[in-house]
Amino acid sequence: MAKVKPRVKVPKKAQVGDVITIKSLISHPMESGQRKDKKTGELIPRKIINKFVATFNGEMVVDFDLDPAVSANPYFQFDMTVPEAGTIRFEWTDDDGTVYDIEKEIKIG
Amino acid sequence: MELTRRDALLLGAGAVAASVLPQPLFAAEPTLDELIAAFTEGAEVKDGGVDIGAPEIAENGNTVPVDVSAEGATSILLLAGGNPSPGVATFHFGKLAVPSASTRIRLAQTQDIVAVAKLSDGSYVKASRAVKVTIGGCGG
Amino acid sequence: MRHMIAALCAATASGLALAALAEPDDQSLAVDGVELVTEIKASDEHPLDMLYSGWRFRTDETQALQTDDFDNPAFIFVEQAVDAWDTVEGEAGKSCAECHGAVEESMKGVRAGMPKWDAEAGEVWSVENFVNRCRTERMQAEPWKWDKADMNAMAALIGLQSRGMPVDVDVSGPAEPWFKRGEEMYYTRYGQLELSCASCHEENYGNMIRADHLSQGHINGFPTYRLKNTKLNSVHGRFKGCIRDTRAHTFKPGSEEFRALELYVAWRGEGLAVETPSVRQ
């Protein structure tokens, strides 16, 4: 399988108090655990991103718990108010325990 | 969204397609009502106060764009009762977030999707929205 | 047998009139603000009067996914191909970038003229053939399989460099017999359902086949991300799917037959903008 690659779209600059839109996308099959292997008839084990969290300067912005009904290559969009300059950090947690992460700076100006 | 003649046809097609789908049985899965009860801890849930954005007709049930929002919400539970397993996602919002989220979800068949929001005063509100899921002629 | 589609539609639609459906919608496509041609008058020798991109036959929600490169999930795979472009592979110790430099420069316009006659091979070649020639001869690496993830991602990256340019293929000279063969295939009824490409995409575009809104079957957006299988799909992969759906034994991706058909179908979409990588249902 191709490597998991997170993508995020965050404005580089904002004014204090601005509401900005943030988009995220990660390549992941979101294997539901409900599909059968066509050849063997065995259930394919569940393997999904079960959590998506965004924090700004350490403070939780959004925390999403996910079920297998979220589509492959999960996409999330949300809005947040910018309180100050800082770092927004995104984390995706896989069923296998792997955490994929990425960070972006937001400047004031 | 205005219902055009094309949409009306799709709608009919979706209904036919959905009616012939086998209904999966997963006895061990919690039901929609059980998931709502667990989220609200049994509290009363009022209707309204949650917006669900979703296509009236989804071209493919494997990727259906959906957004939810609720004024003053700290969490929103999104459910799809027509799926083999009704859970979709629970969105928790911190102080910096606007209580709204967009994602793309899987819908196994035509159904009502349900969103329950927990508001900052501890009360709960809910809404539902119908989504027709079509089965493509060339989707096989 | 051509009435089978109509019959299917009528059955599903409970007898509502079909005539009302025979139109694409009237939306215009802009990707990140850049307009793409999704409608153009066909040339005189074309069997259709007006050409419409498949994008015009999709629902608003599906259409929206293609208007922003971040929202378009195909870019997950395009980004993987960007990495692959710079990755050294094979005995020769080369990457794509070693010979071709920046993909934005060297591959600009390439997709708009594909497939095309290759004198060295003495055949009409698709993008995939050229990629594999580089891999096996210049890089001395293993060829990629047609219609698989690595190849589709690279074809999407190469195709993206022509986005917005009009499809313009050379069907003359040595390519002409391939074009003729493709044309013949287009009108050949395949499978137990006895459907030709034309049965759906020429005679019935705009109508419903069960719940699918039939397009004119242009390939200007390929490889395309399909909501159905959440990955990139190649032109030949789609051809294979279509022929399989007629309940026929299909040709293989990469085969002479599919390259001939690709040339003919590309010609049918001449003048439409390359949309690679598009999003479809």
Side-chain angles (χ1 to χ4, degrees):
Chain A
M1 196 187 93
K3 66 174 182 282
V4 174
K5 194 165 181 175
R7 304 176 80 215
V8 293
K9 189 173 183 180
V10 178
K12 288 189 177 70
K13 273 187 188 174
Q15 303 292 334
V16 171
D18 276 359
V19 175
I20 59 170
T21 296
I22 288 162
K23 297 177 177 186
S24 77
L25 190 65
I26 190 165
S27 55
H28 196 283
M30 295 294 280
E31 191 58 62
S32 68
Q34 293 158 358
R35 293 197 315 149
K36 283 183 176 167
D37 186 304
K38 278 180 189 159
K39 288 190 182 117
T40 65
E42 300 284 318
L43 271 183
I44 304 170
R46 177 184 132 149
K47 189 181 185 300
I48 69 165
I49 298 285
N50 60 50
K51 203 172 192 49
F52 169 75
V53 178
T55 52
F56 184 77
N57 290 346
E59 181 184 347
M60 186 272 271
V61 180
V62 295
D63 181 335
F64 297 166
D65 294 315
L66 313 172
D67 292 310
V70 172
S71 301
N73 307 320
Y75 172 89
F76 303 107
Q77 182 184 325
F78 60 93
D79 292 346
M80 69 168 274
T81 308
V82 179
E84 61 194 359
T87 304
I88 183 163
R89 178 181 171 81
F90 304 86
E91 289 186 358
W92 293 258
T93 307
D94 193 298
D95 274 347
D96 69 9
T98 312
V99 177
Y100 307 100
D101 62 72
I102 192 168
E103 289 187 353
K104 294 280 174 183
E105 296 297 317
I106 300 176
K107 292 194 172 108
I108 299 298
Chain B
M1 189 173 137
E2 202 182 346
L3 195 70
T4 62
R5 293 170 79 174
R6 180 184 140 202
D7 292 332
L9 282 173
L10 274 162
L11 210 127
V16 169
S19 68
V20 298
L21 277 178
Q23 303 292 316
L25 288 169
F26 287 83
E29 294 288 345
T31 65
L32 185 105
D33 289 342
E34 285 166 358
L35 287 169
I36 293 175
F39 180 70
T40 61
E41 296 171 318
E44 187 197 354
V45 184
K46 291 199 187 95
D47 281 327
V50 187
D51 287 324
I52 306 175
E56 240 176 299
I57 296 149
E59 263 186 310
N60 195 291
N62 222 356
T63 314
V64 184
V66 171
D67 57 80
V68 289
S69 62
E71 188 80 32
T74 54
S75 301
I76 300 177
L77 171 71
L78 180 63
L79 300 168
N83 281 1
S85 167
V88 178
T90 311
F91 306 104
H92 303 285
F93 303 103
K95 286 195 194 76
L96 295 174
V98 175
S100 74
S102 306
T103 186
R104 298 166 186 163
I105 69 172
R106 294 166 169 154
L107 295 177
Q109 57 178 315
T110 293
Q111 58 182 284
D112 291 342
I113 53 176
V114 176
V116 186
K118 180 182 184 177
L119 306 182
S120 51
D121 65 2
S123 67
Y124 293 89
V125 290
K126 108 174 159 28
S128 69
R129 186 176 168 120
V131 181
K132 307 284 179 194
V133 176
T134 63
I135 305 298
C138 303
Chain C
M1 253 322 181
R2 69 183 267 197
H3 300 298
M4 172 161 278
I5 296 172
L8 274 168
C9 294
T12 340
S14 314
L16 284 174
L18 281 168
L21 296 170
E23 290 297 327
D25 74 6
D26 56 3
Q27 308 276 336
S28 61
L29 170 60
V31 180
D32 292 334
V34 178
E35 288 270 343
L36 300 186
V37 173
T38 59
E39 170 180 342
I40 193 165
K41 194 165 169 15
S43 61
D44 290 343
E45 60 269 35
H46 201 294
L48 298 171
D49 294 331
M50 289 298 294
L51 308 182
Y52 300 100
S53 159
W55 184 85
R56 296 280 292 277
F57 296 85
R58 305 279 50 91
T59 61
D60 293 349
E61 292 82 9
T62 307
Q63 287 181 333
L65 293 174
Q66 205 185 310
T67 58
D68 177 322
D69 285 349
F70 191 89
D71 291 347
N72 182 344
F75 278 82
I76 288 173
F77 306 100
V78 170
E79 286 193 357
Q80 288 168 358
V82 168
D83 291 344
W85 183 263
D86 291 325
T87 303
V88 172
E89 264 196 272
E91 298 294 314
K94 284 182 179 168
S95 66
C96 306
E98 295 237 13
C99 295
H100 295 290
V103 68
E104 294 83 1
E105 298 299 321
S106 57
M107 294 298 134
K108 193 176 176 68
V110 167
R111 164 67 172 82
M114 286 284 173
K116 68 171 193 177
W117 175 257
D118 182 77
E120 193 184 323
E123 292 184 346
V124 163
W125 269 16
S126 307
V127 168
E128 289 91 335
N129 292 105
F130 290 98
V131 169
N132 269 344
R133 173 192 276 163
C134 280
R135 288 188 60 82
T136 56
E137 293 179 14
R138 295 188 187 152
M139 297 166 73
Q140 293 172 37
E142 288 295 312
W144 277 332
K145 287 205 171 92
W146 286 64
D147 198 32
K148 295 292 180 196
D150 289 329
M151 183 63 97
N152 290 349
M154 186 56 73
L157 174 66
I158 292 168
L160 173 64
Q161 312 314 322
S162 301
R163 190 167 64 181
M165 298 171 71
V167 172
D168 182 12
V169 286
D170 185 354
V171 300
S172 65
E176 199 182 342
W178 290 72
F179 174 81
K180 292 283 182 205
R181 186 177 181 184
E183 182 181 33
E184 193 188 321
M185 285 179 72
Y186 193 89
Y187 291 98
T188 299
R189 291 171 180 276
Y190 289 96
Q192 291 175 325
L193 297 184
E194 295 183 39
L195 292 170
S196 69
C197 307
S199 308
C200 289
H201 299 292
E202 182 171 303
E203 295 162 27
N204 277 292
Y205 72 86
N207 290 337
M208 306 300 291
I209 181 162
R210 288 178 68 202
D212 252 352
H213 193 203
L214 281 169
S215 74
Q216 291 182 341
H218 295 301
I219 56 176
N220 55 312
F222 280 83
T224 186
Y225 183 90
R226 289 190 68 189
L227 304 182
K228 169 190 146 72
N229 58 17
T230 61
K231 62 180 184 182
L232 287 173
N233 293 256
S234 68
V235 173
H236 290 204
R238 179 66 267 190
F239 287 166
K240 185 178 145 190
C242 277
I243 294 191
R244 178 206 57 209
D245 287 350
T246 71
R247 300 187 193 161
H249 190 75
T250 179
F251 304 100
K252 284 193 168 63
S255 62
E256 280 187 19
E257 289 86 354
F258 276 168
R259 279 179 277 141
L261 185 59
E262 183 185 349
L263 180 65
Y264 176 71
V265 177
W267 172 82
R268 287 179 70 100
E270 273 196 341
L272 292 172
V274 172
E275 287 177 27
T276 310
S278 63
V279 182
R280 299 288 185 261
Q281 79 284 21

